[in-house]
Amino acid sequence: MCGRFAITHASDAMARLFEAAPANNLPDIPNYNVCPTTQIHVVFREDNGRRLVPMRWGFVPRWYKTPTDGPLLINARAETIAEKPAFREACRQRRCLIPADGFYEWFRPEGGDKLPWFIQPADEGPMVFAGIWQEWGASEDRISSCAIVTTEATGHMAEIHHRIPVILQAENWAKWLGEEGRGAARLMTAAADETLTFHRVGTAVNSNRAQGPDLIEEID
């Protein structure tokens, strides 16, 4: 799964990178400990082009009576996303890009406590997760929400955790957004080990209140 991530790229730089029109109320950057239910940066496609907007991380299905009416859906499994009632329409019609610097995952050694790792692109460029989004509610109560698509981990990542976010390379952003016809389903695969780096970080990140660049620094 993906339960925390970091983002430091400036909003205007992200707007240029994705060729997207930015909203005026984007979340503050940097954020070294992005947690579920917070507002995150999301790129989606409208008829007149791409937009960079804030969305709640935690997908709210249309039938929820309140945003907390059911389980918190921060991830959507690639293997079942096209079948699950909560996700199947969004998977076909409302796919999005979720930018990050990298994400955290926790590994529990035998007989020990969970230890946090930070996973980021080997080229130190932006990491872009495949996402889906949904609008819930009406008028002033309307909420735009999203979930990160995950898949079965392979290689070194599988030694840390059995799931990994679907990470999209730049040449596949348009395909995922539906700008280049069909074929998005074929993108829901695990990233190759050589495209990622992995390092241990301190346990300060175990707290969802922790912040600062020290959270992503490597420790022995």
Side-chain angles (χ1 to χ4, degrees), residues 59-73 86 136-137:
F59 192 93
V60 184
R62 294 190 189 280
W63 60 82
Y64 277 21
K65 294 181 174 63
T66 70
T68 58
D69 195 36
L72 180 59
L73 305 176
W136 176 91

Side-chain angles (χ1 to χ4, degrees), residues 75-178:
N75 295 155
R77 294 174 66 96
E79 298 87 344
T80 58
I81 192 172
E83 304 165 7
K84 293 289 186 180
F87 301 136
R88 61 192 177 197
E89 183 183 347
C91 178
R92 293 193 299 269
Q93 301 178 12
R94 293 184 299 278
R95 297 188 297 272
C96 61
L97 309 176
I98 300 175
D101 284 27
F103 66 97
Y104 301 95
E105 197 52 81
W106 280 258
F107 168 73
R108 187 192 297 276
E110 187 173 352
D113 297 327
K114 285 186 176 181
L115 303 174
W117 287 72
F118 189 65
I119 299 94
Q120 63 188 129
D123 63 5
E124 299 184 355
M127 177 176 275
V128 177
F129 304 137
I132 55 174
W133 68 277
Q134 169 95 311
E135 286 195 337
W136 176 91
S139 63
E140 68 273 7
D141 296 323
R142 185 175 295 276
I143 294 174
S144 296
S145 65
C146 62
I148 295 171
V149 181
T150 67
T151 190
E152 191 75 19
T154 59
H156 184 44
M157 183 65 212
E159 300 173 8
I160 299 173
H161 195 273
H162 66 286
R163 304 293 297 177
I164 185 174
V166 171
I167 299 167
L168 300 172
Q169 301 302 313
E171 61 268 23
N172 293 322
W173 296 346
K175 176 73 72 176
W176 183 255
L177 290 176

Side-chain angles (χ1 to χ4, degrees), residues 11 21-28 39-41 51-55 144:
S11 295
N24 295 324
N25 59 337
L26 291 166
D28 291 338
Q39 295 287 305
I40 63 173
H41 290 70
R51 294 195 62 208
L52 175 65
V53 301
M55 289 191 185
S144 296

